C-alpha cells in the first residue's frame, strides 16, 4: 500500500519536472522567435515606431506651429526608416522622456528608442543597444555670471537641477555628493526651473545644454564635460535581428555622407 503510493508520488513528481522543463524550453524558444519577428512585424506593419524626445532642442523638439518633431535624432530616425523600409516617411514618432523610454520599449509601445540615450552597463541589463551613433559628455548650464564655474563649485548649500531617469542624476550624485539634486520630469521643466532660480545649475549632456543656451543666450555651459555619454539606439532585449538591421542602416547612413549632413545641420559645436 505504502509502496504503491510512494511509486505514484515519484511518478507524478517526475512527470511534473518534465512538464516544467518542457514549458521552460518553450518560453525560451518563443522569446527567440519574438526577437526574430520584431523586424518582420515592422515590415508587415509598414512602419517603424520610434520613441523620441519632444522637449529637447537640437535632438527632438516639437515645433508648436507645425506639430512636427524636429532635431538630430528625428532626422536619424527617418534615415533608419528609409534604410530598413525603403521610405523615410514610414516612421511613427511617439514621445518618450528619460524616465519612460525603457518601460515604453518593454511594453511594446515602440520598436526602438532614438532619444539622447546613453549606452550603460546598467541599461544593458534591461534593453539591447546598437553601436554608438553620437558622443556626448555631461556638463553644467548656469546663468552667465554665476559663481558656479565648474563641478568643483557644487559644494554644500548648492542646488543642481536634473531629469528623472537620466544618467546625469546618477553621475552628479557620485561626482558632487554635497550638492542637492532636484529632479524634474523632462528637460523643458528643468530649464524652466533654472530660469526661475530653483537651482544654481542644470546638469545633463553638453549637446542638450547647447540647445538651451542657444534658446536663451543669457545661459552658458561651464567647466567642460566630466563624463562620457555615448548614445545608442535601444530595442527590446533579445531583438538581435532588429539590432543587426539598425547597425547596418547606421553604417550605410555614415558611409553615404548622410550622417555628416544631419550632424552639421544640428550640431554647431
Ligand atoms: N544621455 C543621458 C541619458 O541617457 C542624458 C540625456 C537624457 O536624459 O536623455 O540619460
Amino acid at each position: 500500500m505504502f509502496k504503491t503510493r510512494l511509486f505514484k508520488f515519484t511518478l507524478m513528481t517526475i512527470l511534473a519536472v518534465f512538464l516544467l522543463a518542457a514549458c521552460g524550453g518553450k518560453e525560451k524558444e518563443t522569446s527567440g522567435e519574438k526577437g526574430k519577428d520584431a523586424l518582420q512585424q515592422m515590415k508587415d506593419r509598414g512602419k517603424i515606431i520610434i520613441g523620441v524626445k519632444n522637449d529637447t532642442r537640437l535632438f527632438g523638439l516639437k515645433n508648436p506651429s507645425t506639430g512636427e518633431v524636429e532635431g538630430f535624432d528625428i532626422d536619424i530616425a527617418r534615415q533608419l526608416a528609409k534604410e530598413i523600409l525603403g521610405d523615410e516617411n514610414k516612421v511613427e514618432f511617439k514621445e518618450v522622456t528619460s524616465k519612460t523610454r525603457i518601460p515604453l520599449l518593454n511594453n511594446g509601445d515602440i520598436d526602438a528608442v532614438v532619444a539622447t540615450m546613453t549606452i550603460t552597463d546598467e541599461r544593458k541589463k534591461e534593453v539591447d543597444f546598437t553601436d554608438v551613433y553620437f558622443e556626448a559628455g555631461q556638463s553644467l548650464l548656469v546663468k552667465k555670471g554665476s559663481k558656479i564655474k565648474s563641478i568643483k563649485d557644487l559644494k554644500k548649500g548648492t542646488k543642481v537641477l536634473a531629469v528623472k531617469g537620466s544618467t546625469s542624476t546618477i553621475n552628479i550624485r557620485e561626482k558632487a555628493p554635497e550638492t542637492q539634486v532636484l529632479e524634474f520630469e523632462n528637460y523643458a521643466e528643468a530649464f524652466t526651473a533654472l530660469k526661475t532660480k530653483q537651482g544654481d545649475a542644470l546638469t545633463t549632456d553638453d549637446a542638450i545644454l547647447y540647445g538651451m543656451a542657444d534658446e536663451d543666450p543669457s545661459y552658458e555651459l561651464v567647466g567642460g564635460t566630466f563624463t562620457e555619454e555615448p548614445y545608442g539606439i535601444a530595442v527590446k532585449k533579445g531583438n538581435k535581428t532588429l539590432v543587426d538591421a539598425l547597425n547596418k542602416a547606421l553604417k550605410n547612413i555614415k558611409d553615404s555622407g548622410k550622417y555628416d549632413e544631419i550632424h552639421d545641420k544640428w550640431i554647431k559645436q
Side-chain angles (χ1 to χ4, degrees), residues 53 98 101 116-118 123 166-167 187 204-205 208 231:
K53 295 285 183 73
S98 307
R101 58 195 162 192
T116 65
M117 188 169 184
T118 302
R123 287 175 179 164
S166 66
T167 51
Y187 286 101
T204 187
D205 302 338
I208 298 175
Y231 292 178

Side-chain angles (χ1 to χ4, degrees), residues 19-35:
L19 267 170
L20 275 173
C23 286
K26 180 108 185 113
E27 200 181 303
K28 252 190 205 154
E29 200 183 287
T30 318
S31 61
E33 277 305 308
K34 262 190 204 158

Side-chain angles (χ1 to χ4, degrees), residues 166-183:
S166 66
T167 51
S168 330
T169 56
I170 301 167
N171 297 335
I172 201 73
R173 286 201 167 99
E174 207 179 279
K175 293 183 187 289
E178 287 182 0
T179 194
Q180 187 185 348
V181 182
L182 304 182
E183 294 186 34

Side-chain angles (χ1 to χ4, degrees), residues 143-197:
K143 180 101 183 161
K144 277 182 181 165
S146 164
K147 285 183 300 208
I148 310 288
K149 302 282 180 223
S150 81
I151 193 166
K152 288 193 206 93
D153 300 319
L154 294 177
K155 301 261 166 59
K156 211 173 165 63
T158 60
K159 281 186 196 157
V160 176
L161 314 170
V163 166
K164 289 179 189 168
S166 66
T167 51
S168 330
T169 56
I170 301 167
N171 297 335
I172 201 73
R173 286 201 167 99
E174 207 179 279
K175 293 183 187 289
E178 287 182 0
T179 194
Q180 187 185 348
V181 182
L182 304 182
E183 294 186 34
F184 295 83
E185 293 301 322
N186 57 51
Y187 286 101
E189 278 184 25
F191 193 27
T192 303
L194 182 68
K195 288 177 184 167
T196 52
K197 301 191 166 53

Side-chain angles (χ1 to χ4, degrees), residues 230-246:
Y231 292 178
I233 299 166
V235 305
K236 207 169 176 174
K237 218 162 177 43
N239 280 354
K240 180 151 175 16
T241 47
L242 183 53
V243 170
D244 290 347
L246 288 167

Side-chain angles (χ1 to χ4, degrees), residues 86-103:
D87 183 344
E88 64 173 71
N89 294 313
K90 287 188 173 169
V91 56
E92 181 186 329
F93 294 117
K94 283 203 181 160
E95 179 178 6
V96 298
T97 64
S98 307
K99 194 178 79 175
T100 65
R101 58 195 162 192
I102 291 181

